[in-house]
Amino acid sequence: DDDDDDDDDDEFTCPICYCELEEGEAALRLENCEHSYCEDCVRQYVLTAMDQGAVLHLDCPAPECSAPLDYYQVRQLLNTES
């Protein structure tokens, strides 16, 4: 009996908050590197960077990734803020 959760391919865990999300459910795949996070985490990451004046250097939150965040994706994310 091989129950390795292979049927859970539509779910992922946000590497920032460790919430389990179904693919597409408040999830955001970054355009320039394809890392995925929940929208709330990326929104908070961007807002924190803005508060610290670091908006010119917004990169993917992954420590090993230096891909810049896509301007239009960030703009859309901030425009959908609840």
Side-chain angles (χ1 to χ4, degrees):
D1 221 316
D2 195 7
D3 294 328
D4 290 0
D5 290 334
D6 288 339
D7 55 335
D8 291 335
D9 290 339
D10 292 342
E11 295 181 3
F12 86 100
T13 301
C14 175
I16 296 175
C17 67
Y18 300 106
C19 288
E20 291 184 17
L21 299 171
E22 291 188 24
E23 194 66 34
E25 174 192 16
L28 181 69
R29 176 168 286 163
L30 301 180
E31 295 287 332
N32 293 329
C33 63
E34 299 192 6
H35 284 116
S36 294
Y37 303 95
C38 67
E39 288 183 2
D40 288 338
C41 284
V42 177
R43 184 179 295 113
Q44 189 58 49
Y45 173 75
V46 170
L47 292 173
T48 299
M50 290 171 65
D51 286 345
Q52 296 174 353
V55 294
L56 296 178
H57 302 288
L58 282 175
D59 293 336
C60 172
E64 72 281 356
C65 184
S66 61
L69 296 183
D70 180 74
Y71 169 79
Y72 295 103
Q73 196 172 27
V74 169
R75 185 173 159 190
Q76 181 180 6
L77 180 67
L78 294 179
N79 285 340
T80 61
E81 187 174 357
S82 303

